[in-house]
Amino acid sequence: MLFRSTWSAVWDQADVSDVQIAGDDVKLYENLVFAGIEATSSPIDGSGMTHVHFDVWTPDPTAAPAVFKMKIVDFGANGAFGDGAGNAGGDDVEHEITLDGSSTPPLATGNWVSYDIPLSDFTGLTTQGALAQIIISGDPNTVYFDNLYFYNVPSSTPAVAAPAPTLPAADVISMFSNAYTDVTVDTWSAVWDQADVSDVQIAGDDVKLYENLVFAGIEATSSPIDGSAMTHVHFDVWTPDPTAAPAVFKMKIVDFGANGTFDGGDDVEHEITLDASSTPPLSSYGWVSYDIPLSDFTGLTTQGAIAQVIISGDPNTVYIDNIYFHK
């Protein structure tokens, strides 16, 4: 959400000009004491935004006691300054943050510094529905200013549950789903794997959360699953991690064969790989539901004693739900 406005209000103490740096349009503030950037005619609804971004370059000294300040003012529900009649007060709220050589990142001389500041840091800015003023000030008195915008960082936690399964229970063998009665699963993170698993709830639905995932062993070794009548495996995945190439999410299914024991000579297995080019594509910040034909697991030549499901990949934080075989 780009801030469009008056870039130097009649009441401020600053000189502003439009310049180009390597072909890029930049605002140059000189003789800066304080500058009022205003969108008072059309206040900005920033209620869905989480951060403000801006880039600053100054030739001035930035060692202490130099500071650069930004104040954001919201005009409140009436969308007007003060009480709506030109008098201060009303439902306006504001907060000012201060940046200096000890900030993260530090204010610096002769280099562009990019700031991404959570709007939650502006603690006095208790409303964000009518953002109308940004006031910059400080004693770097010459400041190049670029890329001022508000934006939203999606939550790292799903806001909604995975889609509820609708298949008849008679056609399903469930390992994990609130929609069905689950078979016995010995562990959701085997002693030999590299992953941390926890049980969480998303909108009242039980979900498995894998963090620091390299590979995770889901085992039903004490009671292997007879999936010989099943045609598909289903699971739902949600991740906040990047899913563009080269990111992949993998699932391996292992069948222990007729003797039903590990390494008994008749074990079979196959691993499939999902990525941003799969159907449906692996993606970030949304549930992706997969129904994969067991015939795609070409090495899984038997399905009568399914004892292990191994998930792996480089989305290292993964919410997974509704793992079941079906026909």
Side-chain angles (χ1 to χ4, degrees), residues 70-287:
M70 172 178 279
K71 179 188 291 185
I72 301 179
V73 182
D74 186 276
F75 277 2
N78 65 17
F81 173 70
D83 62 3
N87 302 308
D91 56 0
D92 296 5
V93 293
E94 63 181 48
H95 192 89
E96 184 174 67
I97 54 101
T98 299
L99 304 168
D100 58 24
S102 64
S103 300
T104 303
L107 192 62
T109 302
N111 289 299
W112 282 106
V113 183
S114 296
Y115 289 100
D116 287 277
I117 301 176
L119 289 172
S120 58
D121 286 0
F122 293 80
T123 54
L125 195 69
T126 53
T127 60
Q128 297 171 199
L131 303 175
Q133 292 176 330
I134 291 181
I135 302 167
I136 59 173
S137 61
D139 47 11
N141 305 122
T142 299
V143 171
Y144 293 81
F145 199 62
D146 198 9
N147 299 317
L148 173 61
Y149 56 85
F150 299 98
Y151 68 96
N152 179 53
V153 175
S155 172
S156 60
T157 302
V160 298
T166 58
L167 290 172
D171 294 335
V172 171
I173 299 174
S174 176
M175 297 184 73
F176 180 77
S177 176
N178 285 159
Y180 306 108
T181 300
D182 299 331
V183 299
T184 299
V185 175
D186 299 304
T187 180
W188 288 93
S189 181
V191 293
W192 43 263
D193 72 16
Q194 296 183 38
D196 299 317
V197 66
S198 56
D199 293 308
V200 300
Q201 282 204 330
I202 304 298
D205 184 43
D206 295 320
V207 176
K208 296 292 182 182
L209 167 60
Y210 286 92
E211 298 174 286
N212 306 310
L213 173 66
V214 180
F215 59 94
I218 303 167
E219 294 193 308
T221 52
S222 66
S223 299
I225 296 166
D226 183 358
S228 54
M230 300 294 106
T231 60
H232 290 70
V233 63
H234 175 97
F235 54 94
D236 300 307
V237 175
W238 195 103
T239 180
D241 293 353
T243 50
V248 296
F249 181 79
K250 299 180 180 181
M251 174 177 279
K252 179 188 290 186
I253 301 178
V254 183
D255 187 277
F256 278 3
N259 62 20
T261 59
F262 172 68
D263 206 20
D266 56 358
D267 298 6
V268 294
E269 63 181 48
H270 191 89
E271 183 175 67
I272 54 99
T273 298
L274 304 168
D275 58 25
S277 65
S278 300
T279 303
L282 189 64
S283 61
S284 305
Y285 299 109
W287 285 106

Side-chain angles (χ1 to χ4, degrees), residues 55-68:
D55 301 308
V56 174
W57 193 101
T58 181
D60 295 352
T62 49
V67 295
F68 181 79

